[in-house]
Amino acid sequence: MAMADITIYGAGIFGLSIAWTCAKRGARVQIIDPNGAGSGSSGGVVGALAPHTPENWNDKKQFQFESLIMAQSFWQSVEQAGGKSAGYARSGRLQPLSDARALDLARTRSENAKALWQGLAQLDIIDAADRGDWAPKSKMGLLVHDTLSGRMHPRMACAALVAALQSKGCRVMDQGTPQGIILEATGWQGLLQLATDMNEPVGNGVKGQGAVLDFTAAPDAPQLFADALHIIPHANGTIALGSTSEREFDDPYSTDTQLDDVIERAKTAFPILQDAPVIERWAGVRPRAKSRAPMIGHHPLRKGAFIANGGFKIGFGMAPKIAEVMADLILEGRDRIPEGFRPEASLR
């Protein structure tokens, strides 16, 4: 390819999304990742896009809200350019209500959502019986249904971005010479390297384990959430469930009895899945910045370079908006990054 305007290290969801948004604006982008696209936690199996609760609103929650709202147009543009599906749908989410206190809180959040979600999504309390078998068990017979949550298939999404980038003449390489502006989007190992370089903790990796079930009855149904479990119906006729959060681990990529427990709990909480066979077990490590928010903006050590890391559990949901503001910053010098997302927030 011609001399690149931007070199991105890391072909996970942040690196690929930023590359796509910059390429759409006419930038020449090259992506370098020795392990290939979606090889880390971005190649996982779950794909839950879930919003923060509509209360105690702040710039971080507003940023995520805007990203979830723009997700449909973002993924449509990716699919149209490359011809591959990302498995995206804003399919909503169902959660059980267990007692009167939970019901009161849900009513308050429902009212808050009317204003904070600007009429673009809603949060309602519904009868569990109205959802038939596809519902979590609820002691009160009531569920919270929000229409802001969505889902996408992580591997399909990464493949769709690669195809879209190829349509712009951009490709993912396992090695290459850096050219132009540098962006580091190197995941949990990048956070550990940055901590070593700065001689202070800035973030770490948190292992997660998930599973895929063969279940074709509800590909477009809402995702389910109960007992800290995400149950995600995917467009390819599978159900993903997860996940664990392990700060300490020996093998980043092995599954064990902790995933067995997740599967057992999921089949207990959601009886409709009782007979669904497990067809894949997955483990990977998600990058978690010290502030728990994504770390985006100017690189804290390398003048003229940029960083996008720390997506942790919300990376795919945040990706469309993060790609937009990083393209603004890199290509136009416009800085619209919330204070809590800047690298400095993880250096305090």
Side-chain angles (χ1 to χ4, degrees):
M1 65 182 294
M3 180 71 71
D5 299 317
I6 304 167
T7 297
I8 296 177
Y9 285 98
I13 184 58
F14 280 1
L16 293 171
S17 297
I18 295 168
W20 168 243
T21 301
C22 289
K24 280 202 304 179
R25 298 188 189 184
R28 294 165 296 182
V29 185
Q30 65 174 359
I31 307 160
I32 300 174
D33 192 318
N35 299 308
S39 59
S41 59
S42 294
V45 298
V46 181
L49 309 179
H52 290 296
T53 54
E55 60 190 1
N56 301 319
W57 208 243
N58 54 36
D59 57 354
K60 295 180 185 179
K61 291 188 175 185
Q62 179 65 26
F63 190 100
Q64 189 209 36
F65 168 75
E66 292 174 6
S67 190
L68 291 173
I69 290 298
M70 67 188 291
Q72 183 167 352
S73 61
F74 177 88
W75 290 112
Q76 281 180 346
S77 74
V78 169
E79 293 173 349
Q80 288 169 0
K84 288 190 175 183
S85 172
Y88 170 81
R90 205 174 108 187
S91 49
R93 177 174 60 170
L94 300 172
Q95 303 177 75
L97 289 172
S98 57
D99 53 35
R101 181 181 177 185
L103 176 59
D104 287 342
L105 182 58
R107 286 171 173 160
T108 299
R109 289 173 174 171
S110 179
E111 289 301 310
N112 290 346
K114 292 177 182 178
L116 295 172
W117 290 356
Q118 304 169 25
L120 300 173
Q122 60 194 54
L123 188 154
D124 297 316
I125 299 165
I126 65 172
D127 288 331
D130 293 342
R131 304 303 306 195
D133 291 336
W134 187 255
K137 293 190 293 186
S138 170
K139 293 180 180 179
M140 300 192 73
L142 298 173
L143 305 173
V144 173
H145 177 218
D146 82 76
T147 63
L148 183 54
S149 295
R151 58 102 164 116
M152 34 67 55
H153 193 290
R155 294 173 191 168
M156 292 172 62
C158 288
L161 280 163
V162 169
L165 285 161
Q166 288 174 341
S167 77
K168 298 289 186 181
C170 306
R171 57 195 178 96
V172 178
M173 305 178 293
D174 59 4
Q175 58 184 340
T177 302
Q179 300 171 0
I181 296 168
I182 306 299
L183 168 72
E184 293 185 7
T186 48
W188 72 284
Q189 292 169 320
L191 289 179
L192 295 182
Q193 183 61 55
L194 181 60
T196 298
D197 293 344
M198 301 192 72
N199 197 30
E200 65 175 295
V202 298
N204 59 1
V206 179
K207 181 178 177 179
Q209 300 183 46
V212 180
L213 308 183
D214 185 5
F215 188 92
T216 59
D220 297 315
Q223 60 179 276
L224 308 179
F225 182 79
D227 190 22
L229 296 168
H230 294 277
I231 310 297
I232 314 298
H234 282 301
N236 63 358
T238 64
I239 298 288
L241 56 92
S243 63
T244 65
S245 288
E246 305 163 46
R247 297 286 292 273
E248 303 292 335
F249 50 88
D250 295 320
D251 184 348
Y253 308 113
S254 66
T255 62
D256 53 33
T257 57
Q258 294 184 76
L259 181 56
D260 295 335
D261 178 64
V262 167
I263 295 169
E264 182 178 348
R265 285 166 46 215
K267 291 192 172 187
T268 298
F270 308 102
I272 194 172
L273 303 177
Q274 191 65 49
D275 297 324
V278 177
I279 57 176
E280 182 181 354
R281 297 164 64 94
W282 176 88
V285 182
R286 300 160 294 190
R288 178 187 181 277
K290 182 180 175 182
S291 68
R292 292 183 60 88
M295 180 190 292
I296 58 176
H298 293 281
H299 198 285
L301 288 182
R302 291 178 254 293
K303 186 176 181 179
F306 299 87
I307 189 170
N309 209 328
F312 194 30
K313 297 180 180 180
I314 58 174
F316 278 91
M318 290 288 206
K321 186 69 175 181
I322 283 177
E324 179 184 79
V325 299
M326 286 301 295
D328 289 345
L329 182 61
I330 294 169
L331 300 178
E332 303 173 23
R334 291 194 295 134
D335 190 343
R336 299 192 294 126
I337 298 171
E339 291 297 325
F341 287 14
R342 300 177 187 275
E344 293 80 8
S346 291
L347 301 176
R348 297 168 184 160

